[in-house]
Amino acid sequence: MPDLIKLLPDSVANQIAAGEVIQRPASLVKELMENSVDADSKNIRVIIKDAGSSLVQVIDDGSGMSETDCRLSFERHATSKITTAEDLFAISTKGFRGEALASIAAVAMVEMKTCLHDSEIGSLLKINGSKVESQEPASCPPGTNISVKNLFYNVPARRKFLKTASTEMRHIINEFQRIVLAHPNIRFTLHHNEKELFNLPPTNQRQRIVSVFGKNMNQNLINIDTETSIVKLSGFTGKPENARKTFGEQFFFINKRYMRHPYLHKAIMDAYENILPSEAIPAYFIFMSADPASIDVNIHPTKTEIKFENERIIWQILNASVRESLGKFNIVPSLDFDNEGIIDIPPAGKDPVSMPDINIDREFNPFRDEEYYKEKKRAFQKERDFNLSGWEKLYSGLEGSEQHGKPAGRQDNDIYSDKESRGPEKIFQLRKKYIVCSVKSGLMIIDQKRAHERVLYEEFISALNTDSSVAQKTLFPKTMELDQSDMAMISELEEDISRCGFDVRYLGNNTISINSQPSHSMNEDPREMLEIILEEYKNTEKKPGESNRDKVALCMSRAAAVPYGRALAIQEISELIDKLFQCKDHNYSPSGKPIISIITLEELDKKMK
Ligand code: ADP
Ligand code: MG
């Protein structure tokens, strides 16, 4: 038997390793910007061509590199940021693995010009697919200018997997935002195909957020500031009435590094309990600092999750600070903290921070126009009523029954005893969520939102495929300000959503107006509807064999469907049931969730034994 094992050539090994670090053009933006930040730059310019597939260029005025370092920086595990294993516990830079440049050079064509500040002459290095083509002296300003061209030119399979330009741009903008928000003292610009998307002068934390997300954000921000021996928190959290249904304005940073943290996200959501409209997520920008030894960043290079030593305590500190700030903003009877902004660390295992209720002043909202505010207020009240659940609520949920003059609460008996008949009086809405009706075999329960999604979905599909447009309900135009990445997505969706009856116009300055919405939409707030469409679109993966139109129809149907918590008149209920049973598939919602469940008499009988 011959020996079979060979060592892979470096270029192949690098390409494989690159797959872990460089997944798409946005990864280049992240790695190169981080290197520039680590090099103490004051100005960082990012230039993109064709959503990063032809060019990602980052120009900085940081430390620059010597001729030797310039060459070495492309070797795997070459880093100036750590030397010993101990250093791993005190990382204050973004990078430390020394993998990014080696990975980038393995899958693209790279040119780097760099010059130290006290040096007369710099160095120009060209390297393609891990192979050094040339290195020569060059004159250039102090700092580093790196161009990465034709990403994945030598890995066609990966190049093929790049998504549409607007999707790749959205990822790039996301990475860009994560870095610029953490470093307000650095000037950043971002250009795409010669167009300037961001120009962010050095400023304070609040202004940086506002220059990234638009001036409306300014009135939305409530200050957070808490210092404990375990963690220091600063930043902002959004006013509940401005919370959107979409993710995109939620940011955690630890030691100036962006992180995702679903557990700490819950700490914030918990602080907003009962003061948010349903499904809304408040904006937040939380900057934490903690001893690097107490956090573990040494995880997968592309992952943004970070582990903390004291996660449970940090949860409590964060939760308490957000509550405190929300309370202050409402000038509510003040909270139980003795020291301004300083919280005693609660011992683990106990729950000593007891929080008084926070009553949000629902009248307070100088920022929205009158009509929008009234809508929000109605939603709040509905939501609050819905939350006041007691056992009586079960009966007051029987909207249909009251109309028919029967005492609420007797309905259940009626359905059970009268199993053959099915008239409108045998249908009712339960908890403003389910439609319950008696059928031959037992009790049929229909999820109102999913049922409506299915009905709308089939309507939208047929409108999209026959190029006929769904009748539109015209509105008094509503304007809305969006961020760059949402704007990019709107331009991708515009044509299809307008066929579905949702008409959007550009007003410039990242502002759009919404002029009509589909006539069967049960969502009365077109802005909220658009937010849901965008959010769904971001989060829905196309299934194999599905067209983009299927996806658009799905997102539209989720946005326009009757929400939970909406009382339906008996006519609306029967119309919905009729339409549902005319659908090609009335058993599953467009996203594959069950719409109908039947509890058979046998099952009931069994339960009653
Ligand atoms: P890491 O950032 O993990 O150290 P990289 O592969 O990203 O690894 O970079 C390797 C090294 O190249 C860095 O440690 C740094 O010394 C140097 N370097 C990279 N980019 C720059 C830059 N823009 N300015 C100065 N030095 C840089
Ligand atoms: Mg790096």
Side-chain angles (χ1 to χ4, degrees):
M1 182 93 171
D3 294 336
L4 297 175
I5 297 179
K6 304 191 275 292
L7 280 177
L8 288 173
D10 270 357
S11 61
V12 178
N14 278 343
Q15 236 184 56
I16 294 170
E20 300 208 339
V21 187
I22 307 302
Q23 296 172 329
R24 51 178 7 133
S27 329
L28 302 173
V29 173
K30 171 177 186 280
E31 294 298 337
L32 298 180
M33 284 180 78
E34 286 188 350
N35 280 347
S36 298
V37 170
D38 283 344
D40 288 328
S41 308
K42 295 276 162 284
N43 290 284
I44 300 176
R45 288 189 283 154
V46 182
I47 297 164
I48 309 290
K49 294 240 161 74
D50 304 321
S53 63
S54 351
L55 174 74
V56 171
Q57 182 176 16
V58 176
I59 307 169
D60 70 42
D61 58 354
S63 63
M65 279 176 268
S66 68
E67 194 185 327
T68 317
D69 280 356
C70 170
R71 171 70 198 81
L72 255 181
S73 66
F74 287 94
E75 292 294 328
R76 189 159 296 280
H77 307 307
T79 178
S80 56
K81 300 172 193 172
I82 57 174
T83 33
T84 68
E86 256 95 83
D87 295 345
L88 273 176
F89 300 99
I91 285 166
S92 61
T93 52
K94 307 263 180 281
F96 57 89
R97 300 161 183 280
E99 279 183 312
L101 291 184
S103 298
I104 292 170
V107 291
M109 300 170 168
V110 181
E111 262 183 57
M112 182 154 85
K113 253 191 198 177
T114 186
C115 184
L116 293 167
H117 279 247
D118 51 11
S119 179
E120 303 271 281
I121 194 97
S123 183
L124 168 63
L125 176 78
K126 294 186 184 171
I127 174 165
N128 296 338
S130 298
K131 186 167 165 278
V132 177
E133 303 288 339
S134 63
Q135 181 171 17
E136 59 204 45
S139 79
C140 56
T144 302
N145 178 340
I146 178 166
S147 301
V148 181
K149 295 183 183 153
N150 306 322
L151 177 64
F152 299 138
Y153 79 99
N154 53 350
V155 205
R158 297 206 67 147
R159 199 165 166 93
K160 238 178 20 213
F161 274 103
L162 292 181
K163 300 269 163 53
T164 60
S166 67
T167 303
E168 294 303 342
M169 241 357 251
R170 186 157 50 76
H171 285 285
I172 287 177
I173 289 168
N174 286 345
E175 293 294 355
F176 181 83
Q177 288 179 344
R178 291 168 183 181
I179 294 173
V180 302
L181 287 172
H183 297 279
N185 53 330
I186 301 177
R187 174 189 298 277
F188 291 95
T189 59
L190 174 64
H191 285 81
H192 182 218
N193 293 340
E194 255 95 79
K195 196 173 151 232
E196 182 178 277
L197 300 185
F198 290 93
N199 185 341
L200 308 169
T203 180
N204 61 25
Q205 193 62 71
R206 185 184 193 106
Q207 279 310 317
R208 176 53 59 87
I209 296 172
V210 172
S211 31
V212 172
F213 289 98
K215 56 185 181 323
N216 286 347
M217 185 56 92
N218 197 22
Q219 304 114 344
N220 185 28
L221 299 176
I222 308 171
N223 242 318
I224 286 197
D225 226 331
T226 297
E227 200 168 337
T228 70
S229 54
I230 289 180
V231 67
K232 184 170 171 301
L233 296 178
S234 67
F236 306 91
T237 186
K239 294 190 178 154
E241 65 267 35
N242 293 345
R244 297 171 155 207
K245 301 246 161 174
T246 65
F247 276 97
E249 295 174 348
Q250 290 71 33
F251 291 85
F252 279 123
F253 298 88
I254 174 74
N255 298 345
K256 296 192 177 256
R257 179 191 294 273
Y258 170 82
M259 66 166 181
R260 264 175 42 80
H261 211 296
Y263 176 68
L264 293 181
H265 171 72
K266 292 210 189 86
I268 294 189
M269 294 307 285
D270 184 84
Y272 278 84
E273 209 188 350
N274 294 332
I275 56 171
L276 281 178
S278 75
E279 290 165 46
I281 317 145
Y284 58 76
F285 306 87
I286 308 285
F287 301 86
M288 309 188 187
S289 35
D291 179 357
S294 72
I295 58 179
D296 181 9
V297 292
N298 192 15
I299 35 147
H300 191 274
T302 59
K303 293 253 166 68
T304 44
E305 277 89 3
I306 283 178
K307 285 229 284 282
F308 289 87
E309 206 174 81
N310 304 304
E311 222 152 65
R312 228 187 63 84
I313 297 174
I314 294 177
W315 195 100
Q316 294 206 355
I317 296 170
L318 177 61
N319 182 269
S321 328
V322 175
R323 278 175 192 259
E324 186 195 18
S325 298
L326 287 172
K328 268 194 198 146
F329 143 72
N330 263 300
I331 320 153
V332 160
S334 83
L335 298 177
D336 258 355
F337 301 115
D338 296 332
N339 318 321
E340 271 275 288
I342 309 272
I343 303 172
D344 289 335
I345 302 300
K350 287 206 196 126
D351 194 353
V353 190
S354 81
M355 230 52 66
D357 281 351
I358 289 163
N359 288 311
I360 282 295
D361 174 8
R362 285 163 215 280
E363 300 304 318
F364 180 74
N365 192 336
F367 315 118
R368 296 278 191 188
D369 57 274
E370 190 80 338
E371 190 206 350
Y372 181 70
Y373 168 48
K374 279 194 192 132
E375 273 170 37
K376 277 279 184 218
K377 190 173 162 189
R378 272 197 296 276
F380 267 128
Q381 281 160 351
K382 238 194 274 171
E383 178 70 8
R384 189 194 47 197
D385 294 343
F386 188 60
N387 286 336
L388 291 174
S389 49
W391 63 272
E392 323 89 325
K393 267 303 239 188
L394 183 68
Y395 297 108
S396 62
L398 308 181
E399 275 80 16
S401 65
E402 276 143 19
Q403 288 179 6
H404 291 265
K406 288 184 187 173
R410 278 199 46 209
Q411 202 79 12
D412 287 6
N413 290 331
D414 290 354
I415 286 168
Y416 188 67
S417 62
D418 186 2
K419 57 185 181 204
E420 296 302 329
S421 65
R422 181 187 159 195
E425 72 276 16
K426 298 289 178 278
I427 301 182
F428 66 89
Q429 196 188 11
L430 177 66
R431 283 297 178 98
K432 300 183 186 146
K433 180 169 189 195
Y434 294 114
I435 296 163
V436 182
C437 51
S438 106
V439 291
K440 251 189 177 162
S441 53
L443 206 55
M444 178 165 73
I445 295 148
I446 298 173
D447 181 306
Q448 68 184 43
K449 180 162 187 270
R450 292 178 189 171
H452 196 214
E453 278 171 18
R454 167 52 65 182
V455 170
L456 289 171
Y457 176 76
E458 297 203 357
E459 268 178 33
F460 292 143
I461 286 283
S462 93
L464 287 167
N465 290 340
T466 56
D467 285 356
S468 68
S469 85
V470 175
Q472 300 179 350
K473 190 158 78 183
T474 49
L475 308 160
F476 185 66
K478 298 270 160 88
T479 59
M480 197 172 170
E481 201 183 296
L482 296 168
D483 65 24
Q484 283 295 342
S485 75
D486 285 347
M487 284 302 282
M489 209 184 317
I490 297 261
S491 66
E492 185 178 319
L493 290 175
E494 192 188 354
E495 200 184 319
D496 282 343
I497 60 176
S498 90
R499 277 222 185 83
C500 296
F502 200 91
D503 183 31
V504 169
R505 300 274 153 82
Y506 297 94
L507 302 178
N509 252 344
N510 284 358
T511 308
I512 53 156
S513 81
I514 306 170
N515 302 326
S516 76
Q517 68 185 68
S519 52
H520 294 136
S521 167
M522 290 282 256
N523 188 333
E524 271 126 36
D525 182 347
R527 287 179 278 210
E528 179 184 290
M529 198 174 146
L530 186 65
E531 286 177 355
I532 302 176
I533 295 171
L534 294 175
E535 183 63 12
E536 291 287 339
Y537 197 76
K538 280 182 222 166
N539 294 331
T540 312
E541 283 293 324
K542 250 192 312 190
K543 293 187 204 86
E546 229 180 40
S547 72
N548 204 44
R549 290 184 161 179
D550 295 326
K551 185 169 157 184
V552 171
L554 185 138
C555 300
M556 287 287 297
S557 70
R558 308 232 344 160
V562 57
Y564 298 127
R566 171 79 60 87
L568 294 172
I570 202 77
Q571 266 148 322
E572 290 176 308
I573 295 182
S574 36
E575 199 178 312
L576 179 58
I577 296 184
D578 285 346
K579 280 192 175 162
L580 176 65
F581 286 99
Q582 285 162 24
C583 284
K584 281 189 207 135
D585 178 355
H586 52 254
N587 284 319
Y588 291 96
S589 76
S591 42
K593 302 252 173 63
I595 296 173
I596 299 176
S597 160
I598 292 186
I599 304 177
T600 63
L601 280 172
E602 290 91 77
E603 282 168 317
L604 273 176
D605 288 344
K606 243 191 241 161
K607 286 203 166 106
M608 293 298 187
K609 267 199 188 127

